[in-house]
Amino acid sequence: MQVMKKTDRGLSNKNLLNTFVELIRRASSDLPVDVVTAIKEGLLTEKRNSIAYKTLQMILKNIKLAKEKSLPMCQDTGTPVFYVTLPNPPLSPFVKGGCSGIRGIINQAIKESVHKLYLRPNIVDTLTGKNLGDRTGPGYPVINFEEWEKDYIKVILMLKGGGCENVGTQYALPDSRVNAGRDLEGVRRCILDAVHKAQGRGCSPGILGVCIGGDRVSSYEESKRQLLRSLDDRNENPVLGKLEQSIMKDSNRLGIGPMGFGGKTTLLGVKIGSLCRIPPSYFVSVTYMCWAYRRRGFEYENEKVRRWLY
Amino acid sequence: MVILNSPISKKEVVKLRAGDTVHLNGIIVTARDVAHKYLIEKKPKEYKKLLKNGVLYHCGPVVDRVGKKWIIAAAGPTTSMRQEPYTAEVIREYGVSGIIGKGGMGDRTLEALKKYKAVYFHAIGGLAQVLAECVVDVKDVFMLKEFGSPEAMWVLDVRDFPVTITMDSHGNSLHKTMYEKSGAILNSLITKGGL
Ligand code: SF4
């Protein structure tokens, strides 16, 4: 790998590679504090020694162990989804090769992380069923690139588990199955239906990322992006904020609880965003995230980490 | 809480009820869909003894090799529904007494649990570290080269492996009751509620 000279404002790929490996380690083994706090708050609402209480207690013990051992808190280390924001070219302390350069570094970081046991060899060729081991391939990992006017790089990584991804769903309104019209009440019915259908199968307590509007693809994409928000933030849009609170309250009344064993803690959070749409379409997309809500990030400037995120 | 030792005799199986919390000890064998398909299509005889009254675990562990020893680095349950097409037949062919997984299973499996006397143990999804600590020894591994590490059949010796019975040999399924109960609440929230 060629290292750019400092005078070129180029970055050393080696440093960046190590930072990516550390990012993966943190994401896989160390759950962010907003998530741990939400699980603890859930624990306090459950009856002492109920099955919900014991389940959450066990989950907290697991989180602690994973951190101490620097090992995956869940053996399904998921699909790595990266959000990479790069400085505009004129500002750029650039990475050689631009986006494809970053892609190469990420693929290498995944290889190293498999060998260090931060990630399970988790990618399969869909047609042959063959596990690709420490390699990567089309669709794995997922990398979203963006640009901004700042002069440093920002990277966020989410490890998205398979069990919870499977219970995600999308509605096209009107939807007669759930008696949902094209208004916020219809949206509410869809989201509550999704929580009910998921039961404990997404490893509840879960977190919902929701998008209203968009097309099928952008809607799902935005629903996942909503999960980048901090659990304790407030929605900037008061209408959506109210909807979030209402869904949260009602979901936790369903009695599904941790793992679907029964209890008050069915969801830890709800994040809702909206996109514009064309008149024929009105989508409600729900991404379900398990309690193992693994996301970490960093900002990178002058060959070093400026700040760790989450 | 019930303490069980695997293999589990059918006499013990029928005493167990959905809702029981259990600490499991003894041998459990990991198997995901690929292994299930193999067990049914190839019907390999050498597994008969191992699985008789035995316990299957829906799990694809993270495994490390230290010298000659295998170390289980992470070992939580995976979604059981993927094994639904094969499970009834595996229980019948091999005389399995227990299945450990997450998310519960369908009607065919529930029927097989009743007919051939077996139970479904629900482990906590994502509990990879706590459950890995319960593994005291890796006794053997089958089909490692053929299937790769997550799909291989790992023979694990466990102690105090914490699970909850959610489907028993009397036709009870906590998953079904929870679906109905929460469905009724949902309906009342929809009709009464609103923004
Ligand atoms: S849904 Fe999440 S916690 Fe559950 S097994 Fe998958 S990654 Fe792990």
Side-chain angles (χ1 to χ4, degrees):
Chain A
M1 235 173 254
Q2 188 185 339
V3 178
M4 301 298 294
K5 273 187 284 164
K6 209 64 208 183
T7 49
D8 295 337
R9 302 197 69 219
L11 291 173
S12 140
N13 287 3
K14 184 74 197 148
N15 284 352
L16 200 51
L17 172 65
N18 291 340
T19 308
F20 269 104
V21 174
E22 171 61 10
L23 174 71
I24 294 171
R25 185 193 72 78
R26 288 186 187 216
S28 175
S29 65
D30 190 359
L31 206 60
V33 65
D34 61 331
V35 186
V36 180
T37 305
I39 297 174
K40 286 183 180 161
E41 281 167 8
L43 182 81
L44 293 178
T45 68
E46 303 289 357
K47 220 167 62 232
R48 239 188 122 81
N49 289 324
S50 63
I51 184 153
Y53 188 91
K54 283 191 198 146
T55 302
L56 291 176
Q57 242 180 353
M58 206 95 85
I59 285 173
L60 286 166
K61 185 174 160 198
N62 191 69
I63 293 167
K64 199 165 152 250
L65 264 178
K67 183 175 174 169
E68 280 166 15
K69 298 206 251 172
S70 262
L71 283 172
M73 70 191 73
C74 177
Q75 79 293 330
D76 178 6
T77 51
T79 304
V81 183
F82 289 90
Y83 297 86
V84 180
T85 315
L86 298 169
N88 250 335
L91 300 167
S92 165
F94 51 84
V95 181
K96 194 169 161 45
C99 293
S100 56
I102 296 247
R103 191 174 285 277
I105 294 173
I106 288 178
N107 289 349
Q108 183 61 31
I110 286 181
K111 198 186 238 322
E112 286 190 18
S113 300
V114 168
H115 291 283
K116 291 187 158 150
L117 301 182
Y118 306 152
L119 294 179
R120 182 173 69 175
N122 216 19
I123 172 180
V124 167
D125 181 300
T126 299
L127 295 184
T128 63
K130 216 177 151 38
N131 191 304
L132 298 190
D134 63 4
R135 285 181 296 150
T136 49
Y140 182 104
V142 175
I143 309 175
N144 299 284
F145 286 106
E146 265 173 304
E147 275 182 4
W148 65 358
E149 297 299 325
K150 297 178 182 159
D151 60 0
Y152 54 89
I153 299 173
K154 181 169 120 178
V155 177
I156 297 175
L157 164 63
M158 186 194 295
L159 297 176
K160 184 66 179 69
C164 57
E165 188 72 354
N166 287 345
V167 299
T169 185
Q170 190 172 60
Y171 301 82
L173 298 188
D175 189 325
S176 57
R177 293 169 307 166
V178 289
N179 203 6
R182 293 182 141 202
D183 51 21
L184 280 185
E185 174 56 23
V187 171
R188 168 181 171 263
R189 290 181 182 188
C190 292
I191 303 173
L192 288 176
D193 179 68
V195 177
H196 175 248
K197 290 253 163 63
Q199 293 286 304
R201 290 180 294 126
C203 289
S204 55
I207 300 92
L208 298 188
V210 180
C211 174
I212 314 172
D215 71 6
R216 283 203 187 269
V217 176
S218 62
S219 192
Y220 259 136
E221 208 278 323
E222 176 60 28
S223 73
K224 195 166 272 175
R225 210 176 266 270
Q226 283 294 316
L227 293 171
L228 301 181
R229 287 168 52 192
S230 176
L231 271 179
D232 48 17
D233 76 351
R234 237 167 203 274
N235 200 313
E236 283 167 16
N237 181 319
V239 176
L240 295 178
K242 213 174 131 209
L243 185 60
E244 287 176 356
Q245 281 169 13
S246 145
I247 299 285
M248 183 73 182
K249 215 164 82 206
D250 284 349
S251 298
N252 287 341
R253 280 186 186 145
L254 293 176
I256 295 168
M259 294 298 132
F261 294 159
K264 297 188 182 114
T265 322
T266 303
L267 291 186
L268 298 173
V270 182
K271 302 289 161 191
I272 306 176
S274 83
L275 292 177
C276 296
R277 60 186 175 85
I278 54 171
S281 302
Y282 195 132
F283 292 111
V284 179
S285 308
V286 180
T287 296
Y288 195 107
M289 176 62 101
C290 54
W291 66 259
Y293 184 6
R294 291 156 288 179
R295 50 149 160 65
R296 289 276 172 184
F298 64 80
E299 291 169 354
Y300 196 80
E301 190 181 29
N302 295 331
E303 299 288 351
K304 57 179 193 295
V305 173
R306 188 172 174 271
R307 189 158 77 100
W308 286 99
L309 305 173
Y310 300 108
Chain B
M1 197 195 42
V2 185
I3 293 173
L4 278 178
N5 296 308
S6 166
I8 310 167
S9 74
K10 301 294 174 186
K11 232 172 90 192
E12 276 176 287
V13 166
V14 294
K15 287 192 220 153
L16 302 168
R17 297 282 165 171
D20 288 349
T21 53
V22 172
H23 273 189
L24 206 59
N25 300 291
I27 299 298
I28 63 178
V29 183
T30 70
R32 302 207 304 181
D33 41 343
V34 175
H36 277 71
K37 197 158 175 251
Y38 167 75
L39 285 175
I40 285 178
E41 284 176 359
K42 298 277 180 334
K43 298 208 166 50
K45 289 215 173 46
E46 57 274 31
Y47 296 95
K48 284 255 155 120
K49 214 176 128 213
L50 180 67
L51 298 181
K52 176 95 187 131
N53 292 344
V55 175
L56 285 177
Y57 181 22
H58 298 155
C59 168
V62 178
V63 187
D64 194 14
R65 181 132 196 166
V66 182
K68 280 201 172 141
K69 273 225 87 50
W70 293 107
I71 306 287
I72 300 293
T78 191
T79 303
S80 294
M81 232 18 204
R82 280 209 309 276
Q83 284 72 242
E84 178 68 13
Y86 316 107
T87 297
E89 215 178 324
V90 167
I91 293 175
R92 192 193 68 207
E93 278 293 316
Y94 295 87
V96 169
S97 280
I99 310 274
I100 312 172
K102 75 168 174 103
M105 302 193 69
D107 285 337
R108 270 190 69 206
T109 299
L110 188 61
E111 247 168 61
L113 296 179
K114 200 170 165 186
K115 198 158 166 197
Y116 306 110
K117 303 300 162 218
V119 291
Y120 178 81
F121 300 106
H122 200 304
I124 296 175
L127 213 67
Q129 289 311 319
V130 168
L131 296 179
E133 295 243 307
C134 297
V135 178
V136 289
D137 197 13
V138 179
K139 291 282 185 200
D140 213 339
V141 57
F142 298 102
M143 304 306 281
L144 179 59
K145 265 237 281 307
E146 293 82 348
F147 297 162
S149 148
E151 302 284 348
M153 296 167 73
W154 297 90
V155 182
L156 310 176
D157 191 4
V158 301
R159 291 292 175 275
D160 293 323
F161 194 94
V163 284
T164 301
I165 295 178
T166 55
M167 298 163 74
D168 64 22
S169 65
H170 307 282
N172 301 311
S173 162
L174 284 190
H175 305 283
K176 268 190 159 170
T177 18
M178 181 54 73
Y179 191 83
E180 283 155 19
K181 251 172 54 188
S182 53
I185 301 172
L186 175 66
N187 278 338
S188 77
L189 287 174
I190 294 288
T191 39
K192 261 195 270 150
L195 286 166

